[in-house]
Every structure is written in structure tokens, then in C-alpha cells.
Amino acid sequence: MNIIVVGLNHRTADIEMRESLAFPGERLAEGLEGLLSTEEISEGIILSTCNRVEIYSVTSGVSDGGRRIKTFLSAFHGIPLEKLESALYTYEREDAVRHVFRVASSLDSMVLGEPQILGQLKDAYSKALAMKTTGVILNRLVKKAISVAKKVRTETRIAENAVSVSYAAVELAKKIFEDIHTKTAMLLGAGDMAELAARHLLKSGVKAITVTNRTYERAVDLSAEFKGRAVRWEDFLKEMLYTDIVICSTGASGYVFTDEQARRLMKERRNKPIFIIDISVPRNIDPAVNEIDNIYLYDIDDLQGIVDSNVLERKNEAEAAEGIVEKAVETFLVWERSLEAVPTIVEIRNRAEVIRREELEKIINKLNGMSEKEKKMVETLTASIVNKILHPSLAMLKEEIDPENRATYIYLVRRLFGLDSEEDIGEDN
């Protein structure tokens, strides 16, 4: 079995490339199904965010798993592989484990220490669980990654004064408008990014917030949380007449605000300036809108310069975080190696022998007058009982089990015999 990561991120691909490989909500299930139908892929998770698209998989082969996944991406999105090759990276085995832990701990994020990626990883994992595309190895990997990320946040200062793309967007708004206290804002979409933007806007003192979303009830709930006002989706263009700042974060697969709509809007606004940040991937605001006078449109890539200074402040803490990750990688690899039959058999026998000797010593100490011959007979008896109890399980592990099921069998046996604790696994408590 081999853990493989194939993907691209904000460092290896521009926004157009990331958009072309994204798995928006309605296509994620289809993507997981396609991934698991790929030859030799036994487990899979797809992490698709604004800054990265990554596939975490377990393959039964050892030579061309990465190539199979790249071919799957190419076929699924209808893009020639040669156009993707330079943007894609591949990690295997130890490097793959390290990469997943670093991603979860936000050490590979555009904004070092940002908190969103852990939630996005949890969400991707939940969807894979619902689709039953994970197994023993990826379940363990993601749970451990979550545990590592939490440890990084509690034992380092990497998340202090936490920033994110949403925070960077608000900081940019404050630079565009000198007095943000007099400005109104609208969240076009009510996802996690929009919610974070609302928190930052309120902290910055924006005058009022309106929220619009395709699901009106969601807009109502979020606007109430921030003491704002909900607007029905079909009315958001009217609301933009009176809005100074628009932060767009929807899950739409196309443009929700076009060049033509923007021109009509500015005519009705009498060219009053409006600041729009599109943090959706794929982009939901037509880039041509930026050519219109007094519309200031920025997309997620435009925010890179703003967040660079924050990265510098966190590099010292990142060094400590990398140490935590390395220790976790070592722990995970020890567990992974234990999924081979021989180490597990040895551990079970050793555990059973320790218990047998402890219990035997207790009873012999309580029974006075036993001869050495009697003691030896009791010891032989207890050893025979233990061996007969263990034999069926250990014999099964020695047999030629289907490679795709071997890890599951060994995992279950280890849990049944108490060789792996919940703490070792890294449960998301």
C-alpha cells in the first residue's frame, strides 16, 4: 500500500488553472466516485479550496499511482495532461504524510497560520466518509493530521493575530476607504469566507452589513448573528446601489455579476465608487468589471501582496511547528509499518506474555507450598492456553490475505488486542 498526494496550489498554479481543476460542491461526489473507480486506487479524499486542489489516495501499486491520479484529473476536467503537468506536484509515502500534516497545520497556506484550512480538510474528509471512499489508512492519516494541527496551535504562537484571505480583503478595503466607519458592506454569499469577512468588517467598525445568499434562511441567520440585514438573492443588484464594499464568496460555478450588469449599476449609482473583492474559486465576478471607472475589483490572487508581510512575522513560530510535524510523521510511519503482519504478531505475543507472567506471579505468590515442579506445570498450562487463544488470529495474519484488505484486517486485530490507543490514533476530540 502506498499513500500518494497529487495536487496544485497557489504557488504552482495561477487562479485560472486552479479554477479549471476545482471540484465545486455539485461535482465533488462525482469526482470521488471517478477517483475510486481508477485502477489500483483503494482510498481517496479530494480537498478543493480557493488556493489548492489536492487528492489524497492509497494505492495498491508502487510505481505509477501518481500518474494514474494525474490521468484521472486530466480526463475528469477535460484538460490535456501536458497542460497540467508543470503545475502538479506528487508526494509519496513519508513525503505524502508530511505534506498532509503541513497542510492541516497551515504551514503550506498562502497565509501562514490561517485557520480555515483545517476546517476545509475536515469538511473534505466528512464528504469522503459519506461517500465511503476512505479506509483504515486515510482515516488514520486525517485524524492524526487534525491532532497535529491542534497541537501546533496550542504549543506555538503561529495563529496569534490570525489572518486569512478574508482578513486581507478587509485590510484592503480599509486602504481604499480612509474612513471605513461610514461605509456599508454586503456579503454576496454566506459561506465560511463570507462569515469571516463579516467578523473582520465589524471589528474594523463598518457602519452596516447586509447578507445575501441563494438560501435566504442562511442569509437571515448570518445577518442576525452580526446584527445586520438579510437580502433575498434576486434583490442583491438593487442592494448594490447603496453599498460601498462587496465581498463575494459563493459556490456558484459561473459569474453572478457581469460586465453588463456592472455598467447599468454604475449608471444608477452615478459613478459613486464601489469596492468589490471576489474571493470565490471559480471567480463569480466577471474580471471585465475591473475595466469600469470607479469599480475597484480584486480577486484572491490580488491579495497575495497584502498577506506577505504577515507571513514574515510567523516564520519563527513555523520553525517550532515544523518540529511538531516531524515528530508526528515519525509516529505515523511507525504505525503504518505495524500494519505489516510480522511486527503485529510480535507485539501481540509480547503483550500476551507480559500479561501471562504478571498474572502467574500473582497467583503463585498467593499459593504457599507449591513445589518447583508444580510451578512449572502451571506455567506450561498458562502458556498453552495463551497460545491456543492467539493461534487463530495470528494464523489468519500469516495467511495470504487480499492486499487491499490486509491493512483492514491488521488494523482490526491491533485494536482488538489493545495495541493502538485512541490517543495514538489522534482522534478529533
Side-chain angles (χ1 to χ4, degrees):
M1 306 296 281
N2 186 20
I3 300 174
I4 297 180
V5 173
V6 173
L8 50 74
N9 61 23
H10 59 281
R11 294 189 188 91
T12 67
D14 60 21
I15 191 169
E16 285 82 7
M17 177 66 76
R18 300 200 304 273
E19 285 177 345
S20 67
L21 286 189
F23 289 83
E26 63 272 16
R27 298 207 70 193
L28 182 59
E30 182 186 351
L32 286 168
E33 287 180 354
L35 176 63
L36 266 291
S37 66
T38 302
E39 187 178 358
E40 294 191 352
I41 304 296
S42 58
E43 300 183 38
I45 296 172
I46 297 176
L47 176 64
S48 181
T49 75
C50 55
N51 284 326
R52 72 179 63 245
V53 176
E54 294 183 339
I55 291 180
Y56 305 153
S57 65
V58 175
T59 70
S60 55
V62 295
S63 59
D64 62 351
R67 173 60 55 176
R68 292 180 188 277
I69 296 170
K70 290 179 181 180
T71 301
F72 157 73
L73 281 170
S74 170
F76 186 85
H77 292 288
I79 302 173
L81 185 55
E82 55 267 23
K83 290 187 177 181
L84 304 177
E85 198 75 60
S86 62
L88 292 172
Y89 44 77
T90 302
Y91 298 104
E92 298 190 29
R93 301 181 181 83
E94 179 179 341
D95 292 334
V97 174
R98 180 178 295 105
H99 179 76
V100 175
F101 289 177
R102 294 186 75 252
V103 167
S105 302
S106 76
L107 293 172
D108 193 58
S109 297
M110 176 185 286
V111 182
L112 190 65
E114 56 90 6
Q116 285 74 41
I117 187 62
L118 183 57
Q120 291 164 335
L121 176 60
K122 288 180 179 179
D123 186 53
Y125 177 51
S126 294
K127 290 174 180 174
L129 278 177
M131 292 288 296
K132 298 181 179 178
T133 62
T134 65
V136 169
I137 295 178
L138 285 189
N139 288 341
R140 177 73 169 243
L141 180 67
V142 175
K143 288 177 181 179
K144 190 65 177 178
I146 293 169
S147 175
V148 170
K150 289 181 176 180
K151 189 169 186 178
V152 165
R153 292 194 173 279
T154 56
E155 296 187 10
T156 74
R157 300 172 57 209
I158 197 169
E160 286 194 7
N161 301 313
V163 295
S164 65
V165 169
S166 298
Y167 179 79
V170 174
E171 288 299 299
L172 185 55
K174 289 164 68 175
K175 291 180 179 179
I176 298 293
F177 297 111
E178 292 184 1
D179 188 4
I180 200 169
H181 298 272
T182 65
K183 304 305 176 184
T184 60
M186 180 171 70
L187 306 183
L188 190 58
D192 291 342
M193 297 281 272
E195 184 174 345
L196 284 166
R199 294 185 189 281
H200 293 312
L201 283 169
L202 285 172
K203 188 175 180 180
S204 299
V206 74
K207 188 169 101 174
I209 295 179
T210 57
V211 182
T212 184
N213 191 57
R214 290 188 186 276
T215 303
Y216 182 64
E217 291 75 15
R218 171 63 177 148
V220 170
D221 291 342
L222 190 57
S223 62
E225 183 177 346
F226 298 116
K227 298 181 181 179
R229 182 167 55 87
V231 175
R232 293 191 179 278
W233 179 261
E234 56 269 24
D235 295 329
F236 82 81
L237 285 173
K238 296 178 183 176
E239 187 64 28
M240 287 179 73
L241 285 171
Y242 315 104
T243 301
D244 301 298
I245 303 166
V246 176
I247 296 184
C248 181
S249 175
T250 81
S253 57
Y255 299 143
V256 300
F257 186 59
T258 65
D259 174 68
E260 182 181 348
Q261 290 172 321
R263 293 184 184 281
R264 289 201 303 266
L265 174 71
M266 292 309 289
K267 186 175 181 180
E268 293 185 59
R269 284 174 63 94
R270 297 183 180 180
N271 281 327
K272 180 183 177 183
I274 185 170
F275 174 52
I276 305 174
I277 297 180
D278 185 2
I279 52 180
S280 307
V281 176
R283 286 174 291 184
N284 291 158
I285 307 294
D286 186 346
V289 166
N290 202 35
E291 303 300 320
I292 302 173
D293 288 343
N294 288 322
I295 294 185
Y296 302 93
L297 172 64
Y298 292 79
D299 63 34
I300 199 165
D301 281 356
D302 296 324
L303 303 176
Q304 179 64 55
I306 297 175
V307 303
D308 281 347
S309 60
N310 298 317
V311 173
L312 294 176
E313 297 175 7
R314 300 181 177 207
K315 281 190 174 178
N316 288 336
E317 294 302 316
E319 195 171 315
E322 295 284 6
I324 293 172
V325 166
E326 285 304 313
K327 289 181 180 178
V329 171
E330 292 175 13
T331 300
F332 183 87
L333 293 177
V334 168
W335 171 82
E336 187 181 35
R337 286 192 292 271
S338 76
L339 292 183
E340 296 298 324
V342 172
T344 296
I345 290 171
V346 170
E347 281 191 66
I348 291 172
R349 286 198 176 280
N350 289 342
R351 173 69 64 86
E353 180 62 15
V354 168
I355 295 172
R356 185 186 74 83
R357 287 192 175 277
E358 288 176 350
E359 296 304 314
L360 183 60
E361 186 176 344
K362 289 179 185 177
I363 194 64
I364 287 178
N365 289 337
K366 290 181 180 180
L367 296 176
N368 297 320
M370 286 184 69
S371 66
E372 289 302 318
K373 182 179 180 181
E374 289 170 333
K375 289 179 182 179
K376 190 172 182 179
M377 289 176 61
V378 173
E379 183 166 346
T380 301
L381 175 64
T382 56
S384 176
I385 292 172
V386 169
N387 286 334
K388 287 183 177 181
I389 291 174
L390 293 181
H391 178 73
S393 298
L394 301 188
M396 182 194 73
L397 292 181
K398 289 179 181 178
E399 293 172 357
E400 288 298 323
I401 304 171
D402 179 358
E404 291 191 2
N405 294 322
R406 178 179 292 276
T408 301
Y409 279 122
I410 296 176
Y411 169 80
L412 291 174
V413 169
R414 293 183 64 83
R415 293 304 302 277
L416 286 170
F417 282 94
L419 300 182
D420 294 326
S421 67
E422 291 296 317
E423 183 178 355
D424 291 335
I425 292 172
E427 289 286 1
D428 179 21
N429 293 323

